[in-house]
Amino acid sequence: MSGSKCTRLSGALVKQLLDSVDSILFDCDGVIWRGDQAIPGAPQVINLLKESGKKVFFVTNNSTKTRKMYAEKMTTLGFNVTEEEVFGTAYCSAMYLKTVCKVDGKVYLIGSNAMRQELEAVGIQQTGVGPDLISGKQADWASVPLDPEVKAVVVGFDEHFSYMKLNRALQYLTQQGCLFVGTNRDTRLPLEGGKAVPGTGCLLQCVETAAQCQAQTVGKPNHFMFDCVASQFGVERDRCLMVGDRLDTDIMLGSNCGLKTLLTLTGVNSVADAEAHQKSGCVERQGMVPDYYVESIADLLPALQG
């Protein structure tokens, strides 16, 4: 194997890398699909990897879909996937609250219907999903009615995010012992044509600023997402590869967990971005330098077909 970082993966090196791993974690958007279109060749790569005996998993910071919804989307796009192989932040946040926080009560959820479903699937009730319109005056806002059973505030992507939700989260978090969990810190969601919209990280920072405390985040690059996969499927760190398009989440997750890392250039970051981190001299930024890079995961096809 190559000793240097940020090496272009091609030729015999592809088979060498694949032979060195038993499990592969893939990010989704920008890696195996863009929007509602599969990256050309991606379904064949995933399906051939599984046929060759590799364990394949999907780890995404997107909290707007349940595992079942993701598996259905993947199947439609031609991927051979089961919902147990999908680890999104909606599911992982529910697992974190249940297994690590051991929440005994409800959560106030700034998030999606998918998050509500994943929470309820592990026996955690929520309040907060849907619009929360403003009413009354400032004095009323500070005394907004609160559910006494709420023991945690959870922030994910919420298209109904509002001043009233921000205020309600603040009021809950001023109560002693109230836990504070965020799905992820991605500040922008990239779209086709170089466009972007604000991500969950923006909403989370709003709540953190108001509450004057920091949330524990579950998504990449936090190691908990890998821990979720590893604990359920016995994944060994030194025999695992993380494939992603973002240096600050996907590649950093791999670095944080001691995995091999592969950057694909079909999404957010470029080789120039990785090389800038490599040359920075900053220890933290070295964690965002991948071991290898490819133009697309379709570059793995020849080795798998051969």
Side-chain angles (χ1 to χ4, degrees), residues 236-254:
E236 296 177 29
R237 293 170 191 267
D238 59 347
R239 299 279 302 174
C240 183
L241 172 68
M242 175 71 218
V243 184
D245 68 312
R246 293 183 74 126
L247 300 173
D248 61 344
T249 56
D250 304 322
I251 303 307
M252 185 65 96
L253 172 74

Side-chain angles (χ1 to χ4, degrees), residues 26-74:
F26 286 92
D27 176 46
C28 296
D29 199 16
V31 176
I32 63 171
W33 68 58
R34 279 200 209 95
D36 292 320
Q37 299 289 319
I39 298 283
Q44 297 95 306
V45 168
I46 299 301
N47 298 344
L48 285 169
L49 282 169
K50 294 181 83 170
E51 285 173 25
S52 71
K54 303 296 184 191
K55 295 178 185 174
V56 177
F57 306 100
F58 305 91
V59 288
T60 171
N61 275 357
N62 190 320
S63 64
T64 62
K65 288 184 174 67
T66 63
R67 304 175 95 186
K68 186 172 187 291
M69 291 160 71
Y70 271 117
E72 287 169 353
K73 174 175 179 172
M74 291 181 192

Side-chain angles (χ1 to χ4, degrees), residues 2 18 21 177 238 240 299 302 304:
S2 172
L18 292 178
V21 299
D238 59 347
C240 183
D299 292 2
L304 291 166

Side-chain angles (χ1 to χ4, degrees), residues 21-234:
V21 299
D22 303 315
S23 305
I24 306 178
L25 309 184
F26 286 92
D27 176 46
C28 296
D29 199 16
V31 176
I32 63 171
W33 68 58
R34 279 200 209 95
D36 292 320
Q37 299 289 319
I39 298 283
Q44 297 95 306
V45 168
I46 299 301
N47 298 344
L48 285 169
L49 282 169
K50 294 181 83 170
E51 285 173 25
S52 71
K54 303 296 184 191
K55 295 178 185 174
V56 177
F57 306 100
F58 305 91
V59 288
T60 171
N61 275 357
N62 190 320
S63 64
T64 62
K65 288 184 174 67
T66 63
R67 304 175 95 186
K68 186 172 187 291
M69 291 160 71
Y70 271 117
E72 287 169 353
K73 174 175 179 172
M74 291 181 192
T75 301
T76 302
L77 293 177
F79 296 93
N80 173 20
V81 176
T82 66
E83 65 180 273
E84 290 76 24
E85 294 164 337
V86 181
F87 291 79
T89 50
Y91 169 76
C92 289
S93 294
M95 291 301 293
Y96 182 80
L97 288 159
K98 184 176 177 66
T99 62
V100 178
C101 300
K102 296 181 167 53
V103 167
D104 181 24
K106 292 182 184 177
V107 303
Y108 175 60
L109 177 60
I110 294 176
S112 64
N113 210 39
M115 289 189 70
R116 176 186 63 78
Q117 291 176 49
E118 295 287 21
L119 285 167
E120 290 177 352
V122 298
I124 298 174
Q125 297 302 307
Q126 63 76 43
T127 179
V129 168
D132 189 358
L133 303 177
I134 203 153
S135 62
K137 299 176 181 177
Q138 284 185 347
D140 303 318
W141 304 342
S143 305
V144 71
L146 301 178
D147 187 329
E149 294 182 48
V150 167
K151 305 296 182 191
V153 169
V154 181
V155 180
F157 185 79
D158 189 343
E159 62 191 25
H160 299 293
F161 187 72
S162 64
Y163 182 84
M164 229 29 224
K165 289 197 172 195
L166 176 60
N167 173 60
R168 210 176 289 272
L170 164 60
Q171 304 310 327
Y172 279 120
L173 288 166
T174 57
Q175 297 183 331
Q176 190 172 1
C178 186
L179 300 170
F180 187 13
V181 174
T183 56
N184 63 286
R185 295 188 178 275
D186 299 29
T187 52
R188 288 159 65 98
L189 302 177
L191 304 176
E192 289 293 313
K195 295 185 177 180
V197 293
T200 302
C202 299
L203 313 188
L204 185 57
Q205 284 181 34
C206 282
V207 179
E208 288 179 329
T209 302
Q212 297 180 0
C213 61
Q214 195 166 40
Q216 174 61 51
T217 48
V218 172
K220 300 174 291 185
N222 189 297
H223 64 83
F224 183 76
M225 285 198 89
F226 174 75
D227 295 344
C228 258
V229 181
S231 64
Q232 292 181 34
F233 290 94

